[in-house]
Amino acid sequence: MNSGTRRERIRGLLRFSVHFLQMVVAMAAGMLVLAPVWRLILPTSAERADVLAITMATDMSIGMAVWMRVRRHGWASILEMSAAMFVPFLVLLVPYWTGAAFASTVMVGGHLLMVPAMVLAMLRRRAEYTHARHATGAGRRWARPLVRAGVIVVAVLAPPAVVGSVNAVTYLHTIYQPPADDSVPASVRSLAAPAHDPAKPTAAVLVGTQGANAADTLAPYETLAASGAFNLYTVAPKRQRVTLTGGLDLVPDLDFTALDRRLAGRVADVIVVPAMPGTDAALRNWLAGQARRGALVLGVCQGAGTVAAAGLLDGHDATSHWFRIGGLADSYPRVRWHRATRYVDDGNVITTGGVLSGIDGALRVIERLRGERAASAAATAVGWTHYSPGAPQPLPRSTFGPRDMITGVNLSFRSHDDIGVLVTDGIGEIELASVFITYSDVSYIAHTTALGVNGTEPVRSRHGLVFLPRQGLSGAENLDRLLVPGADAARTRDPALDARVRAELGRSPEYVHAQPGFAFVPVLENMARTVDVPTAQWRSKTLEYPVRELSLTGPGWPWGATLLPLLYSVLGLALTAAVWLLVRARRISRTVAEPGPADRADPVPEMAGR
């Protein structure tokens, strides 16, 4: 290959790459411009992964098509590139619709598969993308500065955006990541569900096959259990492992069919609906059917979205988590949404504020079915000091402020510790939730793993729930920390277990509930000491637990992680400048090397004149 051919190939590759970057910028512009339009036309588009995927592909295709027409590409090329936007999403939506894939899988996988699809479409018509034959004349004069500006913008924004997005998506996927084997061992299937007393009302805590929020599930469960007034079961569409926040695997007591048999066809008196990462039509239809037959529905935190999707809140008053209620109001305009309150009781539907307000919702259920004295006793039993008999306690009107940006720093640019959580028999359900929910969801500061003293043998909680640890102490040597939740575990601390932990893991266990009080308090204070105060304040705010009741001391703002995006932007600019200088140097050397007009003159006439 001669030097001229090599240079031409390099120029063609550079044009190909620049063309690709131009289309990426155009696609991003399409999403930026058209996303508000979709929110007006389809206010619920963000609530469904399939609708969101199709609208995003449409936005990107329109932005890209406009730019390709400016570059004078034909309609066949534009249609092929548009197909590269849609096909990856359409392929992934098939397993999503069948329940075999998560919404995050569709969004992340679709964007990742889009890149090779675009490259293949470009290679199919490589001549259009490797030769500078588009946008000539007047169009070239204004297009070139625009391209340069776009390249600079991409150089500044792309590195931190790509790094942050990859880190964020990778972490978010782990929050409800199911185990490799979600089947229930035979030894657990043979365990009988709690005994049924026909004289008591029945409360069912609903969990979905794709998981459920640990605190939304376990806090109301223990509150209702502490009253002793209910037949209490966890139920799911199928009796398989259900992953709660942070990788805590719960085995539901019953599936829908078994619950129906146990109640002899009667409806449950109470259905508790926590936040769930995904629900299907079968679950929503079952919930709607229970409500139509007279069940009292308690929607906890973002569980109000599932209740609304089942059609149970239209024309009703309701509330939800302060961070999500705006989106719910856009998605379900027929609901009268109320902010800054622990719960809203509207007849057969009760909805609560964020996370720990689920305790107040459960206490309201106890009030209605068993009276204030029983509710007060249950509040004391779980250590909840915010019980307000007969009426909901108001909450501060929270909004997202500048200091709350800590959540984005933690999610996208901070290293995440691997924390083992030792799950022991007899642990309180709220104690267990306090560790898994605090260190994973929303704080985005650690990966948590449920460990068992006896390997993966099932563990029973204080009120009979069955959990399956992901692994035992052996093989967990790479953990950064080991937390042991539970006041009983701290009080009956076993020196032999401590020695075993130190021998196998090389570190001492941390008993996070050594001090008396509500289970979340020592965990939040531990977070402030071991992570930083801003993260603990943010987590307290999102849990809706009063920060003023906590003693938060520890490191301040993590400036190192906060400045990382700036570093990535500088590196992106430096790399872009280096490439530009390299290309410019090659052009200069090529210009110098090429012969001038005088050098190319034909010497024959000169010779003829001699």
Side-chain angles (χ1 to χ4, degrees):
M1 181 187 300
N2 59 45
S3 60
T5 303
R6 185 181 297 110
R7 285 196 297 269
E8 184 58 33
R9 288 193 174 185
I10 292 173
R11 285 197 294 270
L13 180 60
L14 288 173
R15 293 190 191 106
F16 189 92
S17 302
V18 169
H19 215 128
F20 182 85
L21 289 175
Q22 290 172 357
M23 287 192 290
V24 170
V25 173
M27 289 156 56
M31 289 192 294
L32 184 66
V33 172
L34 297 176
V37 178
W38 289 115
R39 284 196 290 270
L40 291 175
I41 299 174
L42 297 171
T44 63
S45 60
E47 299 294 321
R48 293 190 49 167
D50 47 3
V51 177
L52 182 60
I54 297 302
T55 55
M56 287 180 65
T58 303
D59 296 344
M60 291 185 287
S61 297
I62 292 174
M64 182 190 59
V66 170
W67 180 247
M68 290 183 72
R69 287 304 295 167
V70 170
R71 297 281 301 184
R72 300 187 180 182
H73 287 279
W75 286 110
S77 301
I78 293 174
L79 289 175
E80 288 172 0
M81 291 300 292
S82 297
M85 305 295 102
F86 283 95
V87 170
F89 287 116
L90 294 175
V91 170
L92 292 171
L93 282 174
V94 174
Y96 171 76
W97 285 325
T98 62
F102 291 105
S104 60
T105 303
V106 174
M107 302 310 298
V108 176
H111 284 88
L112 292 177
L113 293 174
M114 191 184 300
V115 174
M118 290 175 63
V119 172
L120 288 174
M122 293 174 71
L123 290 174
R124 172 176 164 77
R125 299 177 185 272
R126 62 177 63 87
E128 293 187 20
Y129 302 99
T130 57
H131 292 82
R133 64 181 183 85
H134 300 283
T136 58
R140 194 183 184 92
R141 286 195 295 273
W142 67 262
R144 183 171 292 176
L146 184 62
V147 169
R148 289 173 179 168
V151 169
I152 293 174
V153 170
V154 170
V156 172
L157 298 182
V162 170
V163 173
S165 298
V166 170
N167 289 341
V169 168
T170 301
Y171 182 87
L172 290 172
H173 185 69
T174 67
I175 293 179
Y176 289 101
Q177 186 171 9
D181 179 11
D182 64 0
S183 63
V184 178
S187 59
V188 177
R189 286 199 303 271
S190 62
L191 295 175
H196 187 80
D197 183 352
K200 293 181 179 180
T202 296
V205 180
L206 178 62
V207 291
T209 55
Q210 296 183 40
N213 182 284
D216 292 0
T217 302
L218 300 181
Y221 180 93
E222 183 170 358
T223 304
L224 293 172
S227 72
F230 297 88
N231 297 303
L232 185 59
Y233 309 108
T234 50
V235 298
K238 296 185 292 184
R239 194 164 187 249
Q240 64 183 42
R241 299 189 199 207
V242 172
T243 300
L244 305 184
T245 318
L248 177 63
D249 295 332
L250 167 73
V251 179
D253 296 316
L254 303 167
D255 60 22
F256 292 162
T257 302
L259 177 66
D260 188 63
R261 285 199 305 266
R262 179 161 288 219
L263 297 180
R266 291 180 292 105
V267 70
D269 298 278
V270 180
I271 305 291
V272 180
V273 185
M276 290 174 269
T279 60
D280 55 23
L283 184 147
R284 294 190 295 271
N285 291 339
W286 180 86
L287 175 62
Q290 294 284 307
R292 283 194 300 269
R293 296 168 60 195
L296 171 61
V297 175
L298 171 62
V300 179
C301 189
Q302 294 179 58
T306 301
V307 179
L312 303 179
L313 291 182
D314 288 349
H316 288 269
D317 296 285
T319 191
S320 186
H321 195 288
W322 64 266
F323 191 68
R324 299 293 185 183
I325 196 169
L328 290 174
D330 292 338
S331 300
Y332 303 103
R334 297 180 61 187
V335 182
R336 296 184 295 272
W337 296 99
H338 298 262
R339 291 168 169 80
T341 182
R342 286 282 182 190
Y343 68 83
V344 170
D345 184 347
D346 192 10
N348 286 337
V349 181
I350 301 172
T351 50
T352 80
V355 193
L356 295 180
S357 294
I359 297 176
D360 295 277
L363 293 172
R364 179 58 176 168
V365 170
I366 298 172
E367 276 185 354
R368 285 183 49 171
L369 275 66
R370 285 295 183 263
E372 289 185 4
R373 181 176 296 181
S376 179
T380 301
V382 300
W384 187 246
T385 59
H386 303 282
Y387 171 52
S388 176
Q393 188 180 76
L395 289 170
R397 198 176 182 88
S398 297
T399 57
F400 192 87
R403 285 184 64 82
D404 300 331
M405 293 298 294
I406 189 69
T407 184
V409 174
N410 290 348
L411 178 61
S412 298
F413 299 106
R414 205 164 182 182
S415 60
H416 302 116
D417 284 349
D418 289 314
I419 297 179
V421 183
L422 194 62
V423 183
T424 54
D425 283 314
I427 187 171
E429 290 82 7
I430 295 178
E431 292 172 336
L432 196 53
S434 69
V435 174
F436 279 94
I437 196 74
T438 299
Y439 273 96
S440 59
D441 190 29
V442 180
S443 65
Y444 307 132
I445 202 59
H447 299 288
T448 49
T449 302
L451 305 179
V453 176
N454 300 314
T456 58
E457 290 297 310
V459 174
R460 279 217 183 247
S461 67
R462 180 175 299 159
H463 297 100
L465 291 180
V466 177
F467 296 96
L468 293 174
R470 293 278 175 101
Q471 66 182 89
L473 292 175
S474 300
E477 298 85 359
N478 295 326
L479 294 175
D480 296 295
R481 301 171 63 190
L482 177 68
L483 305 184
V484 185
D488 289 346
R491 186 174 57 255
T492 61
R493 187 168 179 167
D494 183 359
L497 177 61
D498 290 1
R500 179 185 168 192
V501 169
R502 284 191 293 269
E504 297 192 20
L505 304 185
R507 58 184 48 81
S508 298
E510 302 175 48
Y511 290 84
V512 292
H513 292 116
Q515 301 299 321
F518 182 60
F520 276 80
V521 172
V523 177
L524 288 166
E525 293 176 350
N526 178 281
M527 171 177 277
R529 291 192 302 272
T530 58
V531 181
D532 58 58
V533 172
T535 297
Q537 290 173 332
W538 161 250
R539 196 62 189 104
S540 175
K541 181 178 179 179
T542 53
L543 289 169
E544 296 201 325
Y545 190 86
V547 178
R548 65 181 182 276
E549 296 184 12
L550 302 171
S551 177
L552 302 181
T553 58
W557 191 272
W559 287 108
T562 304
L563 294 175
L564 272 179
L566 178 60
L567 175 61
Y568 293 137
S569 293
V570 171
L571 292 175
L573 275 176
L575 180 61
T576 302
V579 171
W580 180 80
L581 289 173
L582 178 62
V583 172
R584 185 173 178 83
R586 284 182 174 275
R587 287 177 178 174
I588 292 174
S589 63
R590 187 172 65 250
T591 302
V592 172
E594 289 177 353
D599 297 327
R600 292 195 300 267
D602 189 351
V604 174
E606 182 181 350
M607 294 176 62
R610 290 180 179 177

